[in-house]
Amino acid sequence: MVDDLVGLFDALFPNNRREVVVVGHSMGGAIAAHAVSSKRIQNVRGLVLIDIVEGSAMDSLPSIPMFINARPQTFESVESAIRWHIESNSIQNHESARLSVPSLLVPINDGKRMTWRTQLLPTEKYWKEWYSGLSKTFVSAPTAKLLVLAGTDRLDKELLIAQMQGKFQLEVLPLAGHTVQEDLPDRV
């Protein structure tokens, strides 16, 4: 998926001369960290990871498939998908849900229902690779770094030490859930 991210970036910004900040949330944060650390994206001025920490991610690996399988596979409408995100507390901010949830869905061939655009379970074989060593990958990325978390309990030992040494900036938003950027967009 790092190749996909780099390829997408190169397609959108060929011969990029602009300074960029690469941002990734959860699984996307792991991919962003690996892409930036590989130095395959040019002119990176910053890396922002949102609610992704190696220790917590590795600990949660066994339960992620159960979480994914517990989600509805289809929705009768975009509105029902938005309602599910709010009611399940996946997203706490109704306005954010209205803006972001439609892009998570695609119509099913019957033209009446919607399903998830991205099927996460087929990527399961990569999860351990993405998360293993993520703290070191993030801390050693050759750019300015910001880690945004919903709670300090998510910091693992390597990140705690690196943060105390000033190797990255930490922003904790304890009123947010896992989708920090959705729950508190004005703070992120």
Side-chain angles (χ1 to χ4, degrees):
M1 294 201 74
V2 169
D3 290 341
D4 293 339
L5 176 60
V6 171
L8 177 64
F9 185 86
D10 289 344
L12 292 173
F13 308 106
N15 304 313
N16 179 52
R17 289 193 167 96
R18 293 183 246 195
E19 295 180 338
V20 296
V21 174
V22 179
V23 180
H25 169 255
S26 196
M27 287 182 187
I31 295 163
H34 287 287
V36 170
S37 290
S38 74
K39 301 180 184 177
R40 293 174 54 203
I41 297 177
Q42 301 300 309
N43 299 322
V44 175
R45 298 296 292 167
L47 171 61
V48 180
L49 300 190
I50 302 175
D51 217 38
I52 179 68
V53 171
E54 178 181 351
S56 299
M58 294 298 284
D59 290 346
S60 68
L61 284 180
S63 62
I64 293 174
M66 291 181 289
F67 168 77
I68 292 170
N69 286 326
R71 301 181 313 170
Q73 296 304 303
T74 63
F75 297 96
E76 295 301 316
S77 64
V78 170
E79 293 75 22
S80 68
I82 292 168
R83 189 170 41 258
W84 177 82
H85 278 83
I86 295 295
E87 290 172 359
S88 69
N89 231 7
S90 294
I91 299 174
Q92 298 173 9
N93 181 317
H94 190 79
E95 185 178 352
S96 290
R98 282 187 321 104
L99 294 170
S100 65
V101 169
S103 67
L104 301 175
L105 306 170
V106 292
I108 295 178
N109 290 338
D110 67 11
K112 297 177 183 175
R113 295 175 297 147
M114 309 290 283
T115 191
W116 301 102
R117 175 180 305 279
T118 304
Q119 299 303 315
L120 297 175
L121 284 179
T123 67
E124 182 177 11
K125 60 187 174 188
Y126 304 106
W127 296 348
K128 189 171 182 179
E129 177 185 340
W130 290 345
Y131 297 138
S132 183
L134 177 59
S135 294
K136 183 176 182 178
T137 299
F138 173 66
V139 170
S140 65
T143 189
K145 294 168 283 291
L146 170 63
L147 179 60
V148 181
L149 299 176
T152 56
D153 60 316
R154 291 173 167 90
L155 279 179
D156 58 30
K157 182 179 178 180
E158 184 161 356
L159 289 177
L160 187 58
I161 292 168
Q163 198 273 328
M164 289 179 175
Q165 293 173 338
K167 293 185 177 179
F168 67 91
Q169 183 176 338
L170 174 65
E171 183 71 32
V172 180
L173 302 173
L175 297 178
H178 178 57
T179 54
V180 179
Q181 74 283 4
E182 300 282 350
D183 296 341
L184 298 172
D186 295 341
R187 300 280 311 274
V188 176

